[in-house]
Amino acid sequence: MGKNVLVIGQGAREHAMVWKLSQSPGIGRIFAAPGNAGIAEIADCFDVKGSDTRQLLDLIERKKIDLTVVGPEVPLMEGVVDEFEARGLRIFGPRQNAAILEGSKVFTKNLFKKYGIPSAEFGSFSDINEAREYLREKGAPIVVKADGLAAGKGVVVAMDEKTASAALDMIMLDQAFGTAGHEVVIEECLQGVEVSVFALCDGKTVSYMVAAQDHKRVFDGDQGPNTGGMGAYSPPPFYTPDLHQRVMNEVLEPVVKAMAAEGRPYKGVLYAGLMLTADGPKVLEFNVRLGDPEAQAILPLMETDYLTVLEAVIDGTLDQTPISFFHRASVCVVLASAGYPGKYATGRVITGLGDVSPDTMIFHAGTRRQGTQLVTDGGRVLSVVSTGDTVAQAIDRVYSEIPGIHFEGMHYRKDIGFHALKL
Ligand code: AMP
Ligand code: GLY
């Protein structure tokens, strides 16, 4: 009998995870908590939040779920893995004491310093006067970061001191992110190309998956405010095997060893956000989960059965489980509501999802059913993903599919993946 799997989360990332799992030969039933309208087409969705451990545990028992996989970071930081493991349940993701790698920038920067992992020079402060002093000393450009989770809004790259100082006030005085801003990291502004590198770790073995490039700004040409991500593609042509070997030796392996040495063995996805500087790769941040929208681009390229991958991490057998990806490319374009990442309307009717070609997937994020209609229900509404032999082919495909899809105010970037073509 197949394994029953629960996916925690509700974005396009989790839709891609459910879609990939649905292709596993060993899969039984798939459940999602809470899921979304797209996930509901291939899994049973339950209106349970990832932070509601009691209800999740009840669901596991009622539906005879064999394995749980956590999509977003918040339940990991709240200790969902610890709660499940304490009851002997199988769950994919880092424990609370390892999820701190994403949860506290102060922790992570100090870890980098202690173990010599390349990253921007920094100071960390809980006293605003000391922070101000450091700002004056260093000058602009400079980067101000809230210590904790701030829904992607806690980082300000300041081109002048006034902006840096205002960021400090917003985080520490106005407490725009609550306790996440009790401490700040102020760091050197790095120049270069950004890349997201994904690996798996079972506590001992690090197994590289693929690299991808995210597009965080809302408008073409990387203009406008930051968003949760307007698109991604994989693989980036500049992420060469030589560069990867360096990242493995200087970043991924040392971080995993450091976490083990600190009594915080790391299990799950390791997502390194890197800046490729003139002095080599430097870490901007670590995340403890798959990226969104990167997951929508990379999961369709995964050749190894996804369920097998999850089990190998849980069982600590990654060293015996080779993980391979197709030598193809993929491009994910996010279709967003007008106004996102600011205010936007919801409830707009979505049409045209019925007839996309076989090389294209549509993953839902902010959608819901309203009677027989599908309507918008968030800022990022859909992820449209095409694969191809090359990034150029995947770009052509994805942009030929999108004009068939419609909702009022639909906005998307026309240049996802174009960094890859310039090279
Ligand atoms: P983070 O959440 O730390 O990845 O920061 C979000 C974004 O801010 C990154 O994707 C970068 O574009 C930018 N950023 C963060 N740290 C730095 C830095 N030290 N220098 C330049 N840009 C940075
Ligand atoms: N793609 C950015 C993130 O998932 O945090």
Side-chain angles (χ1 to χ4, degrees):
M1 237 190 28
K3 297 266 171 71
N4 295 335
V5 177
L6 170 68
V7 176
I8 296 178
Q10 63 190 115
R13 167 182 52 203
E14 288 76 19
H15 190 181
M17 289 161 68
V18 168
W19 167 83
K20 192 71 185 169
L21 279 169
S22 72
Q23 297 166 1
S24 285
I27 199 80
R29 292 177 69 188
I30 310 178
F31 301 89
N36 63 35
I39 293 175
E41 289 169 13
I42 44 176
D44 290 322
C45 293
F46 289 85
D47 191 14
V48 174
K49 293 218 164 56
S51 49
D52 194 340
T53 313
R54 214 172 47 84
Q55 283 213 57
L56 288 175
L57 290 168
D58 182 57
L59 195 60
I60 300 290
E61 197 170 302
R62 274 194 296 127
K63 299 297 173 187
K64 304 198 172 5
I65 289 163
D66 299 292
L67 188 158
T68 300
V69 47
V70 188
E73 60 277 17
V74 173
L76 296 170
M77 270 148 225
E78 289 173 346
V80 68
V81 171
D82 307 57
E83 296 268 5
F84 274 51
E85 285 184 351
R87 291 167 177 81
L89 299 170
R90 289 166 71 69
I91 183 163
F92 178 96
R95 291 184 192 148
Q96 191 172 35
N97 74 356
I100 192 170
L101 207 52
E102 177 166 356
S104 168
K105 294 190 191 290
V106 173
F107 167 86
T108 301
K109 293 293 292 188
N110 284 322
L111 188 87
F112 291 166
K113 195 162 145 190
K114 182 167 170 189
Y115 292 91
I117 294 159
S119 180
E121 190 198 317
F122 78 106
S124 65
F125 306 92
S126 51
D127 179 310
I128 191 163
N129 291 321
E130 286 176 24
R132 283 188 180 131
E133 180 62 36
Y134 186 81
L135 267 188
R136 266 195 299 276
E137 198 185 299
K138 295 288 170 188
I142 196 143
V143 184
V144 180
K145 301 183 172 187
D147 170 52
L149 285 190
K153 299 193 179 99
V155 175
V156 176
V157 180
M159 287 305 150
D160 53 72
E161 266 183 66
K162 207 167 139 231
T163 310
S165 176
L168 209 52
D169 288 352
M170 167 188 76
I171 296 168
M172 296 192 94
L173 280 186
D174 308 341
Q175 307 203 347
F177 312 115
T179 55
H182 280 181
E183 279 190 90
V184 290
V185 166
I186 301 180
E187 68 180 29
E188 163 200 5
C189 188
L190 299 173
Q191 306 289 333
V193 174
E194 277 187 66
V195 63
S196 308
V197 176
F198 294 91
L200 291 158
C201 186
D202 62 1
K204 314 179 290 282
T205 305
V206 183
S207 192
Y208 170 58
M209 296 203 284
V210 282
Q213 204 177 23
D214 189 3
H215 297 58
K216 289 199 169 96
R217 303 298 192 98
V218 70
F219 299 126
D220 287 7
D222 294 328
Q223 301 296 312
N226 262 326
T227 69
M230 293 298 290
Y233 73 93
S234 177
F238 52 83
Y239 194 72
T240 59
D242 280 354
L243 176 58
H244 172 62
Q245 201 50 53
R246 230 181 131 176
V247 170
M248 211 57 182
N249 297 344
E250 293 175 19
V251 176
L252 297 173
E253 296 274 9
V255 159
V256 166
K257 283 206 185 93
M259 290 296 279
E262 296 288 315
R264 301 168 183 270
Y266 193 90
K267 267 187 154 186
V269 172
L270 259 182
Y271 161 169
L274 304 178
M275 187 75 93
L276 306 178
T277 73
D279 301 329
K282 295 195 178 181
V283 187
L284 294 175
E285 61 165 349
F286 263 103
N287 294 318
V288 297
R289 50 173 173 84
L290 284 173
D292 185 339
E294 292 97 322
Q296 296 89 297
I298 69 178
L299 287 173
L301 298 179
M302 189 185 263
E303 186 172 17
T304 314
D305 170 47
Y306 188 33
L307 184 58
T308 303
V309 169
L310 298 177
E311 303 250 38
V313 170
I314 294 172
D315 293 334
T317 54
L318 263 185
D319 58 339
Q320 300 149 45
T321 313
I323 296 172
S324 58
F325 279 74
F326 295 115
H327 293 287
R328 286 168 63 76
S330 82
V331 175
C332 165
V333 178
V334 170
L335 308 184
S337 298
Y340 174 79
K343 281 205 172 70
Y344 53 82
T346 59
R348 306 288 194 229
V349 176
I350 304 167
T351 56
L353 300 189
D355 35 35
V356 292
S357 69
D359 282 313
T360 299
M361 283 72 60
I362 294 179
F363 299 123
H364 294 221
T367 67
R368 81 184 134 84
R369 291 258 159 226
Q370 190 169 278
T372 56
Q373 289 180 317
L374 185 71
V375 300
T376 64
D377 197 32
R380 291 192 294 173
V381 177
L382 298 162
S383 282
V384 185
V385 184
S386 293
T387 56
D389 293 332
T390 60
V391 175
Q393 192 180 52
I395 290 173
D396 283 346
R397 283 195 175 138
V398 78
Y399 284 111
S400 69
E401 298 288 351
I402 292 172
I405 302 169
H406 179 79
F407 57 85
E408 195 187 320
M410 180 171 109
H411 163 72
Y412 60 96
R413 274 182 63 162
K414 315 286 188 299
D415 65 348
I416 305 299
F418 284 83
H419 288 294
L421 304 185
K422 280 190 284 191
L423 297 152

